[in-house]
Amino acid sequence: MSSAIRRKVQRKFKMRGYTLKVEAPNEALSFLTHFQDAEDEALDLLLDEIQHQSLKSSILDKEPVHRVVSLLLEADAAVEESPNSSSSSGGLCFIDAFIIPKFRYDPVKKVFYEHTGRVPNHGDASAKATLYG
C-alpha cells in the first residue's frame, strides 16, 4: 500500500514538472498520513502550495516540501481549533476605507507603490469638467 502511494506521489509531482530527491517523498507521505480519507485532495493541495512557492529549481529536496507541509498542517490545526468562529461571524466583512493604505500606479515602471502623502478628497478641475461636461 505504501509503495503504491509513494508511486502516486512521485507520478503527480512529475506531472506537475517536479523531480523529487530521496527525502522529499517521505515528507509528502508524512503529510498524507494526516488525511487518510482524502489523500488525492491533500496531495493536490500540497502541489498547489508548492507551485506558489518561489523555488530555485524544479528538483525538490526535503526542505521546500517540509516548509509547505508545516504551513498546511498549521493551517489545518488552526481550523480544527476554532471551526465555529468563521461561521458565526457570517459572510460579511467590513473594511474601513480610511484605514487601508492608498496605492498609486506608475505607468512608466508598471508597478503600484504606496502613496504616503495626503490624498485629496476632490478631483482636479479637468476631472470635474469631464465628469459634468
Side-chain angles (χ1 to χ4, degrees):
M1 175 85 177
S2 178
S3 63
I5 296 172
R6 179 181 290 274
R7 282 195 306 268
K8 183 194 302 186
V9 167
Q10 290 175 339
R11 185 171 23 93
K12 284 202 173 196
F13 270 88
K14 190 171 286 263
M15 284 174 37
R16 297 273 184 115
Y18 299 114
T19 305
L20 297 175
K21 288 190 176 180
V22 177
E23 312 89 27
N26 296 334
E27 197 67 35
L29 288 172
S30 71
F31 174 69
L32 293 179
T33 57
H34 295 284
F35 307 99
Q36 293 290 337
D37 53 341
E39 289 176 346
D40 289 333
E41 291 84 7
L43 185 57
D44 288 336
L45 180 65
L46 176 66
L47 285 166
D48 290 340
E49 288 299 318
I50 287 176
Q51 192 171 6
H52 292 298
Q53 296 290 319
S54 60
L55 301 172
K56 297 176 185 169
S57 172
S58 64
I59 300 172
L60 299 177
D61 58 352
K62 183 179 180 178
E63 195 272 324
V65 176
H66 176 70
R67 188 172 52 227
V68 171
V69 164
S70 62
L71 177 78
L72 290 174
L73 289 177
E74 286 175 10
D76 185 50
V79 168
E80 286 178 359
E81 286 177 8
S82 58
N84 295 331
S85 65
S86 63
S87 63
S88 66
S89 66
L92 293 177
C93 179
F94 294 99
I95 300 172
D96 189 2
F98 299 104
I99 296 175
I100 61 171
K102 310 297 188 263
F103 288 96
R104 297 286 177 149
Y105 182 71
D106 186 3
V108 175
K109 295 181 182 177
K110 297 182 181 177
V111 296
F112 286 96
Y113 63 93
E114 188 173 352
H115 182 71
T116 56
R118 288 189 49 131
V119 179
N121 289 338
H122 309 289
D124 55 352
S126 63
K128 292 176 190 175
T130 58
L131 179 65
Y132 297 112

